[in-house]
Amino acid sequence: MTDTDPRAGRTAKHSGQVVLRGSQYETSTTDQHLLDTAGSSDWVRNDPWRVMRIQSEFVEGFGALADLGPAVSVFGSARTLPDDPHYERAAELGARLVHAGYAVITGGGPGIMEAANKGANQAGGVSVGLGIELPFEQGLNDYVDLGVNFRYFFARKTMFVKYAQGFVVFPGGFGTLDELFEALTLVQTRKVTAFPIVLVGSDYWDGMVDWIRRTLVDAKTIAPEDAQLVTLTDDLDEVLNVLAVAEAARRGRGTDGE
């Protein structure tokens, strides 16, 4: 394909199993159509039919991941470059998780997600990417062995929790924070049990953790014990140890974490 080829450099968008290019490309997403109720009242007639599509995403995700085995979800910024120390550490963690018997689940994009998938892939483990339809297409990174693309954030987020034995969170933005605080809420409300949440990168996370442990506790908007639901570390050995302790607790209770 040459530079003069009219197909060269075309932006592509994946919507579930559908690929849209050229005149078919649009910047809106399925989530936006579902959640944005401004405009006409067509949603009253259309939304009941969307339930079937939502159901299909759960069925597809459950079917793809049912036999995955023990896994850990790794989160972090899509903007982290390969020469960033956090990228290198996420890749190292991906490999170490595989050696500890875990599959690695990420959002399947670039940055930290790519790094963790790369580490898992190159260590001979199972590297999972759960992609999402976005206005700016990213696509699954090349290190994903098992990939599932979702239209709806809430279906995708269910998979991150259901099929993981814990979360490891590297520095990231709003998407990373969204996953982090949803997991904290699920643990706090005991929707999931024996589910460790580890933050890697004290320079990045220390201010937020201090705010949680001081401001929120002092204001009594959370209980003191809630502030201990997250572990902050720079030591990958500690990450593996936290996961191992939680796994032992899970087995002691006779639960699979669902």
Side-chain angles (χ1 to χ4, degrees), residues 54-214:
I54 294 168
Q55 179 181 348
S56 73
E57 290 216 338
F58 281 105
V59 171
E60 184 175 350
F62 292 158
L65 302 175
D67 298 322
L68 183 61
V72 173
S73 291
V74 180
F75 298 96
S77 176
R79 304 182 184 189
T80 304
L81 299 176
D83 60 356
D84 189 299
H86 289 302
Y87 184 103
E88 297 174 2
R89 302 195 75 206
E92 180 184 351
L93 177 66
R96 294 186 64 174
L97 287 172
V98 167
H99 295 151
Y102 295 103
V104 173
I105 304 174
T106 79
I112 293 296
M113 295 174 281
E114 177 186 281
N117 286 137
K118 178 180 179 180
N121 174 282
Q122 294 184 342
V126 180
S127 174
V128 180
L130 306 181
I132 185 66
E133 176 189 7
L134 294 172
F136 39 92
E137 182 62 30
Q138 293 180 331
L140 296 177
N141 66 69
D142 292 337
Y143 300 100
V144 170
D145 301 315
L146 172 59
V148 184
N149 280 308
F150 291 86
R151 293 183 178 93
Y152 298 101
F153 266 111
F154 52 82
R156 177 187 186 234
K157 290 164 77 172
T158 298
M159 306 302 155
F160 280 129
V161 176
K162 177 172 175 56
Y163 292 102
Q165 274 64 54
F167 279 9
V168 180
V169 188
F170 283 81
F174 287 152
T176 302
L177 291 170
D178 177 46
E179 298 292 354
L180 167 61
F181 280 101
E182 176 155 347
L184 283 170
T185 302
L186 291 172
V187 176
Q188 180 199 45
T189 56
R190 299 185 182 180
K191 296 295 185 181
V192 293
T193 57
F195 193 88
I197 302 169
V198 186
L199 303 179
V200 178
S202 58
D203 287 347
Y204 188 86
W205 295 113
D206 191 60
M208 186 194 74
V209 172
D210 185 66
W211 174 73
I212 291 173
R213 293 177 176 173
R214 294 180 182 270

Side-chain angles (χ1 to χ4, degrees), residues 8-32:
R10 289 198 304 168
T11 303
K13 173 184 175 183
H14 294 263
S15 181
Q17 299 301 310
V18 179
V19 179
L20 303 172
R21 293 192 178 100
S23 64
Q24 298 301 305
Y25 179 84
E26 59 177 344
T27 58
S28 61
T29 65
T30 308
D31 260 335
Q32 180 180 338

Side-chain angles (χ1 to χ4, degrees), residues 41-53:
S41 60
D42 288 346
W43 65 271
V44 175
R45 292 175 289 276
N46 293 336
D47 273 6
W49 290 103
R50 287 194 177 111
V51 172
M52 302 300 292
R53 177 179 285 179

